[in-house]
Amino acid sequence: MHGGGAMANAASTAPAYPSTTFSKSMNNTTTTASAARRPCHVRRRATSSRIRAATSSGRDDTNFNNLLWLPRRDVLAGLTLTGVTAFPGVAFADLPTIYEGCGRGESKVTDDLLGCDVINNLPCPPRKKVEVVNFADLPRPKNVRVRRPAHELTADEVARYKKALAKMKELSPSNPSSFAAQAAIHEAYCDGHYHIDPTEKNRKFDVHFSWIFAPWHRMYIYFYERMVNHYVDGKDAFALPYWSWDVPAGMAMPDMFKDATSPLYDQYRNPDHLDAVVDLDYHLGRKQLPPVTLEMKTSKPEFYEDAVDRNLGTMYHQMIRTGKGARCFLGDRFCTEANFNINEINKRSGRRLRKEVGELKGDASGSLERMAHTAVHVWAGRPGPPKDVKCTDPEAALGHDRELHCANDMGFLGSAARDPLFYSHHSNVDRLWHLWSTKLKGGKGFDEPEWLNTSFLFYDFVNDDDDTMRLVRVTVRDVLDTAKLGYTYSEPDKTTSGYKDWMDYKPTRRLSAPVTGTATTAAAAAKGGDAKGGEFSLELKVGETVVVPSVTRPARDESGMRPGVEVLVIDSIDFDPGSTTKFDVAINAPKESAEKVGPQYGEYAGSFASVQAAKEKPGDRRVVKLAIPIDDVLADLGVGAGVPVNVVIVPRAGDVKIGKAPKIEIQYC
């Protein structure tokens, strides 16, 4: 535990919970502002004339560009709540307008920009004022915890974890250290309870689909691990075990989670997968009959080897082929729209009022999130009823939409963290980020201060002696080095398996004959394509492969100074967040055999996938994009420089539409 000796001086004047909290009923919303605010008198005076000018002409419901439909007092309150001082040294008049990407400062998510919808007192943080400290001001841990593979833990280590978890499950959900409260944190941040918008507070905030995914989950399981440590028996610190599903010896659910009498057990897992080899390329349309078990390594080696081969292909693709840089591996920036330009406020207000589906800039997940991580969630969770059948299980998860969700626990974002398996799953996701950062070529994060200074609040114990708690403000820069967090990872026993199994893997199977790299070859391969350029609108249907023929490729930078990476971009992916979705993308795969494509094939480029979440209201959809580096795919296929390629889209699950034609760009991942 962090020591508490210097806490009096480290306490912040910031609010004990996000500066605006929401108590939402079906018919009304009330906003309660905390008392502590940062001073912004000078900037408020500077903005008054602009606000008066924008509101002096009165309300015109037909002209949203010249109308501030929020009352003037609410705009002033919004400026006070969030503080223009979020942009140090930037005068109000200098704030940028929103453009493609993010404006200056618009990517930094801070705890005081977030508001949380409360339903039945959960899952938002308990509303009580406690001490707030900055993580950077706390003393460094003295000892280093070693997170080990779950299947290598001793019986005594498992018993200690079980006992601590049993204590946490007995606590009241109002206690921040209870297992229920810890699970609720994930529900709040991942199932639509948090909103972000400095003036309106009505844009849903989600830690997925952006560069926030990896650091937020590292913070989350770090503080969960500290909660367990508070209740674990013995002097030795507890280190959260990881489920090493990326290596052959760990490709089945660890035994420690299968005992139905244990607090580590969860009844809402897929019963068909309890003893099966995990499928890291899993989608709901794939039937795994009979399940591939570890015993098949000797009894039916062809089934076992095929399952392992597909998993290693997924890992190679996720970590090596497409893990070319921070943007491709960790995800694109998240734009907060933290902009107080009056015209931009009007435009946003108009979009909200007209209930238009706005495209959220920068919403693109990296390969760390969208591949094995998402597949394991869906694979482990219990399948729900058909889409047109309502869930009636009274023990099922109640989502933010106030509907019961039977696709739980791991298979639904609102309930995923109720399964203890979740924390070991994400411990492995965190380990893969750690490996990428420390062992693999090019494993560096972002330099942008907007990413490094992104901050969240988490509950923690002040010390080991009592149950007094405080809130800790932690930034992304605080969690980039696991050594500074007091933990590291041991790799699986190399006599059985290790990460080099996938690092040395390379897909050798092909769905088509090798190409010669000429333009005529690409033109011939395009024969039978069915998605032309121009006005592009595509509704994906499972079982119907789509070929976008002869997609042009940009010229490389011949200077050699910054060669960049060829990235396949599929923009305006419009999907139903209330269902699990997935489609695969391949290069130059024959349409007649594209259904077979997967990470074990050379033509495979990548996938888009999402885990089911609750919708705020019926009809809600989300619009994101997919960006996949394809340099290695093109090289493996022998496609010559500048030769157009066919982009092949294979729908797998869910309700997905694509509004823009795929394109290939030179990017610097």
PDB file of all heavy atoms in Angstrom, residues 7 11 13 27 76 152 193 217 339 343 358 433 540 558 571 661:
ATOM      1  N   MET A   7       0.091  12.853   3.288  1.00  0.00           N
ATOM      2  CA  MET A   7      -1.182  13.068   2.637  1.00  0.00           C
ATOM      3  C   MET A   7      -1.782  14.432   2.895  1.00  0.00           C
ATOM      4  O   MET A   7      -2.499  14.972   2.076  1.00  0.00           O
ATOM      5  CB  MET A   7      -2.187  11.988   3.057  1.00  0.00           C
ATOM      6  CG  MET A   7      -1.863  10.617   2.499  1.00  0.00           C
ATOM      7  SD  MET A   7      -1.569  10.667   0.710  1.00  0.00           S
ATOM      8  CE  MET A   7       0.209  10.677   0.641  1.00  0.00           C
ATOM      9  N   ALA A  11      -3.170  16.725  -0.476  1.00  0.00           N
ATOM     10  CA  ALA A  11      -4.595  16.812  -0.771  1.00  0.00           C
ATOM     11  C   ALA A  11      -4.867  17.929  -1.755  1.00  0.00           C
ATOM     12  O   ALA A  11      -4.331  19.015  -1.672  1.00  0.00           O
ATOM     13  CB  ALA A  11      -5.385  17.045   0.515  1.00  0.00           C
ATOM     14  N   THR A  13      -7.543  20.511  -3.940  1.00  0.00           N
ATOM     15  CA  THR A  13      -8.773  21.265  -3.729  1.00  0.00           C
ATOM     16  C   THR A  13      -9.842  20.883  -4.729  1.00  0.00           C
ATOM     17  O   THR A  13     -10.912  21.466  -4.762  1.00  0.00           O
ATOM     18  CB  THR A  13      -8.499  22.768  -3.857  1.00  0.00           C
ATOM     19  OG1 THR A  13      -7.964  23.040  -5.153  1.00  0.00           O
ATOM     20  CG2 THR A  13      -7.528  23.232  -2.784  1.00  0.00           C
ATOM     21  N   ASN A  27     -37.949  10.984 -16.745  1.00  0.00           N
ATOM     22  CA  ASN A  27     -38.570  12.204 -17.250  1.00  0.00           C
ATOM     23  C   ASN A  27     -37.766  13.476 -17.020  1.00  0.00           C
ATOM     24  O   ASN A  27     -38.030  14.494 -17.623  1.00  0.00           O
ATOM     25  CB  ASN A  27     -39.959  12.396 -16.612  1.00  0.00           C
ATOM     26  CG  ASN A  27     -40.885  11.244 -16.933  1.00  0.00           C
ATOM     27  OD1 ASN A  27     -40.938  10.800 -18.076  1.00  0.00           O
ATOM     28  ND2 ASN A  27     -41.611  10.761 -15.941  1.00  0.00           N
ATOM     29  N   LEU A  76     -22.742  30.169 -19.170  1.00  0.00           N
ATOM     30  CA  LEU A  76     -21.802  30.692 -18.181  1.00  0.00           C
ATOM     31  C   LEU A  76     -21.508  29.654 -17.117  1.00  0.00           C
ATOM     32  O   LEU A  76     -20.369  29.482 -16.692  1.00  0.00           O
ATOM     33  CB  LEU A  76     -22.382  31.952 -17.542  1.00  0.00           C
ATOM     34  CG  LEU A  76     -22.356  33.213 -18.419  1.00  0.00           C
ATOM     35  CD1 LEU A  76     -23.166  34.320 -17.759  1.00  0.00           C
ATOM     36  CD2 LEU A  76     -20.945  33.660 -18.691  1.00  0.00           C
ATOM     37  N   GLU A 152      -0.416 -21.377 -13.609  1.00  0.00           N
ATOM     38  CA  GLU A 152       0.805 -21.745 -12.889  1.00  0.00           C
ATOM     39  C   GLU A 152       0.739 -21.410 -11.399  1.00  0.00           C
ATOM     40  O   GLU A 152       1.694 -21.670 -10.669  1.00  0.00           O
ATOM     41  CB  GLU A 152       2.016 -21.057 -13.524  1.00  0.00           C
ATOM     42  CG  GLU A 152       2.318 -21.523 -14.940  1.00  0.00           C
ATOM     43  CD  GLU A 152       3.560 -20.866 -15.527  1.00  0.00           C
ATOM     44  OE1 GLU A 152       4.254 -20.135 -14.784  1.00  0.00           O
ATOM     45  OE2 GLU A 152       3.835 -21.073 -16.726  1.00  0.00           O
ATOM     46  N   HIS A 193     -22.851   5.294 -18.854  1.00  0.00           N
ATOM     47  CA  HIS A 193     -23.283   6.130 -17.735  1.00  0.00           C
ATOM     48  C   HIS A 193     -22.563   7.474 -17.699  1.00  0.00           C
ATOM     49  O   HIS A 193     -23.124   8.460 -17.243  1.00  0.00           O
ATOM     50  CB  HIS A 193     -23.066   5.392 -16.410  1.00  0.00           C
ATOM     51  CG  HIS A 193     -23.995   4.239 -16.224  1.00  0.00           C
ATOM     52  ND1 HIS A 193     -25.186   4.350 -15.554  1.00  0.00           N
ATOM     53  CD2 HIS A 193     -23.923   2.951 -16.645  1.00  0.00           C
ATOM     54  CE1 HIS A 193     -25.803   3.178 -15.548  1.00  0.00           C
ATOM     55  NE2 HIS A 193     -25.049   2.318 -16.200  1.00  0.00           N
ATOM     56  N   HIS A 217      -7.859   0.832 -18.596  1.00  0.00           N
ATOM     57  CA  HIS A 217      -7.987  -0.514 -18.045  1.00  0.00           C
ATOM     58  C   HIS A 217      -6.786  -0.875 -17.174  1.00  0.00           C
ATOM     59  O   HIS A 217      -6.932  -1.636 -16.208  1.00  0.00           O
ATOM     60  CB  HIS A 217      -8.176  -1.538 -19.171  1.00  0.00           C
ATOM     61  CG  HIS A 217      -9.579  -1.589 -19.698  1.00  0.00           C
ATOM     62  ND1 HIS A 217     -10.041  -0.727 -20.664  1.00  0.00           N
ATOM     63  CD2 HIS A 217     -10.642  -2.390 -19.371  1.00  0.00           C
ATOM     64  CE1 HIS A 217     -11.308  -0.995 -20.922  1.00  0.00           C
ATOM     65  NE2 HIS A 217     -11.702  -1.990 -20.154  1.00  0.00           N
ATOM     66  N   ASN A 339     -14.628  22.558 -26.671  1.00  0.00           N
ATOM     67  CA  ASN A 339     -14.446  23.774 -27.430  1.00  0.00           C
ATOM     68  C   ASN A 339     -15.539  24.757 -27.052  1.00  0.00           C
ATOM     69  O   ASN A 339     -16.721  24.421 -27.108  1.00  0.00           O
ATOM     70  CB  ASN A 339     -14.511  23.443 -28.922  1.00  0.00           C
ATOM     71  CG  ASN A 339     -14.107  24.613 -29.790  1.00  0.00           C
ATOM     72  OD1 ASN A 339     -14.597  25.716 -29.641  1.00  0.00           O
ATOM     73  ND2 ASN A 339     -13.212  24.343 -30.724  1.00  0.00           N
ATOM     74  N   ASN A 343     -19.884  29.415 -32.202  1.00  0.00           N
ATOM     75  CA  ASN A 343     -20.422  28.761 -33.395  1.00  0.00           C
ATOM     76  C   ASN A 343     -20.411  27.255 -33.252  1.00  0.00           C
ATOM     77  O   ASN A 343     -21.336  26.560 -33.685  1.00  0.00           O
ATOM     78  CB  ASN A 343     -19.627  29.182 -34.638  1.00  0.00           C
ATOM     79  CG  ASN A 343     -19.938  30.600 -35.064  1.00  0.00           C
ATOM     80  OD1 ASN A 343     -21.020  31.111 -34.776  1.00  0.00           O
ATOM     81  ND2 ASN A 343     -18.991  31.238 -35.733  1.00  0.00           N
ATOM     82  N   GLY A 358     -24.220  11.952 -35.054  1.00  0.00           N
ATOM     83  CA  GLY A 358     -22.980  12.634 -35.370  1.00  0.00           C
ATOM     84  C   GLY A 358     -21.820  11.664 -35.413  1.00  0.00           C
ATOM     85  O   GLY A 358     -21.766  10.696 -34.666  1.00  0.00           O
ATOM     86  N   TRP A 433       0.274  -5.209 -23.713  1.00  0.00           N
ATOM     87  CA  TRP A 433       0.723  -3.824 -23.889  1.00  0.00           C
ATOM     88  C   TRP A 433       2.128  -3.671 -23.316  1.00  0.00           C
ATOM     89  O   TRP A 433       3.001  -3.024 -23.922  1.00  0.00           O
ATOM     90  CB  TRP A 433      -0.259  -2.869 -23.211  1.00  0.00           C
ATOM     91  CG  TRP A 433       0.112  -1.416 -23.324  1.00  0.00           C
ATOM     92  CD1 TRP A 433       0.927  -0.840 -24.266  1.00  0.00           C
ATOM     93  CD2 TRP A 433      -0.301  -0.350 -22.472  1.00  0.00           C
ATOM     94  NE1 TRP A 433       1.042   0.516 -24.044  1.00  0.00           N
ATOM     95  CE2 TRP A 433       0.301   0.847 -22.961  1.00  0.00           C
ATOM     96  CE3 TRP A 433      -1.126  -0.280 -21.349  1.00  0.00           C
ATOM     97  CZ2 TRP A 433       0.097   2.085 -22.351  1.00  0.00           C
ATOM     98  CZ3 TRP A 433      -1.331   0.958 -20.748  1.00  0.00           C
ATOM     99  CH2 TRP A 433      -0.724   2.123 -21.242  1.00  0.00           C
ATOM    100  N   LEU A 540     -24.050  -4.501 -44.419  1.00  0.00           N
ATOM    101  CA  LEU A 540     -23.449  -5.823 -44.372  1.00  0.00           C
ATOM    102  C   LEU A 540     -24.475  -6.869 -43.951  1.00  0.00           C
ATOM    103  O   LEU A 540     -25.265  -6.634 -43.033  1.00  0.00           O
ATOM    104  CB  LEU A 540     -22.269  -5.835 -43.397  1.00  0.00           C
ATOM    105  CG  LEU A 540     -21.125  -4.868 -43.696  1.00  0.00           C
ATOM    106  CD1 LEU A 540     -19.964  -5.104 -42.740  1.00  0.00           C
ATOM    107  CD2 LEU A 540     -20.646  -4.994 -45.138  1.00  0.00           C
ATOM    108  N   GLU A 558       9.503   9.127 -51.497  1.00  0.00           N
ATOM    109  CA  GLU A 558      10.749   8.608 -52.061  1.00  0.00           C
ATOM    110  C   GLU A 558      11.991   9.130 -51.354  1.00  0.00           C
ATOM    111  O   GLU A 558      13.089   8.630 -51.560  1.00  0.00           O
ATOM    112  CB  GLU A 558      10.818   8.961 -53.560  1.00  0.00           C
ATOM    113  CG  GLU A 558       9.702   8.347 -54.397  1.00  0.00           C
ATOM    114  CD  GLU A 558       9.712   6.832 -54.350  1.00  0.00           C
ATOM    115  OE1 GLU A 558      10.805   6.237 -54.188  1.00  0.00           O
ATOM    116  OE2 GLU A 558       8.628   6.228 -54.472  1.00  0.00           O
ATOM    117  N   ASP A 571     -14.018   4.154 -43.106  1.00  0.00           N
ATOM    118  CA  ASP A 571     -14.623   5.201 -42.287  1.00  0.00           C
ATOM    119  C   ASP A 571     -16.137   5.034 -42.253  1.00  0.00           C
ATOM    120  O   ASP A 571     -16.722   4.289 -43.036  1.00  0.00           O
ATOM    121  CB  ASP A 571     -14.274   6.570 -42.879  1.00  0.00           C
ATOM    122  CG  ASP A 571     -14.038   7.606 -41.802  1.00  0.00           C
ATOM    123  OD1 ASP A 571     -14.618   7.445 -40.709  1.00  0.00           O
ATOM    124  OD2 ASP A 571     -13.293   8.569 -42.056  1.00  0.00           O
ATOM    125  N   ALA A 661     -16.472   4.562 -48.884  1.00  0.00           N
ATOM    126  CA  ALA A 661     -15.681   3.530 -49.541  1.00  0.00           C
ATOM    127  C   ALA A 661     -14.332   3.358 -48.858  1.00  0.00           C
ATOM    128  O   ALA A 661     -13.725   4.346 -48.419  1.00  0.00           O
ATOM    129  CB  ALA A 661     -15.475   3.883 -51.011  1.00  0.00           C
TER     130      ALA A 661
END
